[in-house]
Amino acid sequence: MNLPLNIDLQQIFLHMLNFVILVGGLYFILYAPVKKFMDQRTAHYADMDKAAADKLAAAEKLEADHQAQLDKLDDELRQRRAESQKVAQQAAQQQLDRAQEQADQIVASAQKAAESIRSKAVADSQKEIKELAMAAAEKLTLKSSKDAFDEFLNLAEEGNEHHEKS
């Protein structure tokens, strides 16, 4: 069968059949295995990417948990420091209060002792002055003025000696 322009349809069909066989063979021999390999490779890398993302998320979660624990420990440490400082301040204040009370007691007892000593000294000196005055008055009235003066001096010396012995 020849067509005008010398075209043989049988040859065209044979070439088309050869072309279809060649394309089909190449599809099954080259394209299908390469496509399958590429799909497997893409799936493998997608799985690796997913696994890496999961590991990264787990690591970030673990890091966040650790950071939360560290923050919690820092807060607890701050609280304990504050409590310790408060306890130390209270103890120091109590010691200061006790020391102040003791100092006040010491000052009060020293003031009482000083007042007691002063009042005793005043009473003793008044008593001695009265005794000396009485003795001097007796001597003056009984003896002459010269003898009385000498006696007054003697009594004063004895009083001083007596006072120094006490």
Side-chain angles (χ1 to χ4, degrees):
M1 208 195 255
N2 273 345
L3 292 174
L5 297 173
N6 234 358
I7 296 178
D8 189 11
L9 281 176
Q10 187 179 15
Q11 283 293 328
I12 291 176
F13 287 130
L14 278 175
H15 283 298
M16 283 175 62
L17 181 64
N18 281 339
F19 182 75
V20 169
I21 292 172
L22 178 66
V23 168
L26 287 176
Y27 175 80
F28 287 111
I29 292 173
L30 291 177
Y31 182 75
V34 170
K35 174 115 172 91
K36 182 180 174 186
F37 174 75
M38 292 301 287
D39 289 341
Q40 287 175 345
R41 186 173 171 188
T42 302
H44 175 70
Y45 284 120
D47 290 343
M48 285 177 58
D49 189 38
K50 185 178 185 266
D54 290 345
K55 287 181 182 179
L56 181 62
E60 287 174 351
K61 183 178 184 277
L62 187 62
E63 181 185 10
D65 290 345
H66 285 159
Q67 188 62 41
Q69 288 176 349
L70 285 175
D71 292 343
K72 182 180 176 184
L73 288 175
D74 284 344
D75 289 343
E76 188 175 325
L77 185 62
R78 273 190 226 101
Q79 289 175 351
R80 286 190 181 179
R81 274 190 198 144
E83 290 171 5
S84 296
Q85 286 176 349
K86 186 176 180 181
V87 167
Q89 286 175 350
Q90 288 174 349
Q93 188 61 41
Q94 287 175 352
Q95 286 180 347
L96 285 174
D97 292 344
R98 281 193 301 252
Q100 185 63 42
E101 288 174 11
Q102 289 175 350
D104 291 343
Q105 289 173 354
I106 290 170
V107 167
S109 65
Q111 286 175 347
K112 285 180 183 177
E115 183 61 32
S116 172
I117 290 170
R118 187 185 77 72
S119 63
K120 184 178 180 203
V122 166
D124 288 346
S125 64
Q126 286 176 352
K127 182 179 176 184
E128 285 182 27
I129 289 173
K130 284 180 186 177
E131 288 174 0
L132 286 175
M134 293 287 278
E138 283 179 21
K139 294 290 180 176
L140 282 175
T141 57
L142 294 178
K143 293 185 178 180
S144 71
S145 65
K146 185 177 176 184
D147 288 339
F149 183 71
D150 288 341
E151 192 63 33
F152 179 76
L153 290 178
N154 287 336
L155 282 175
E157 285 178 3
E158 287 176 7
N160 281 341
E161 289 175 1
H162 176 70
H163 187 267
E164 288 175 357
K165 288 180 184 177
S166 298

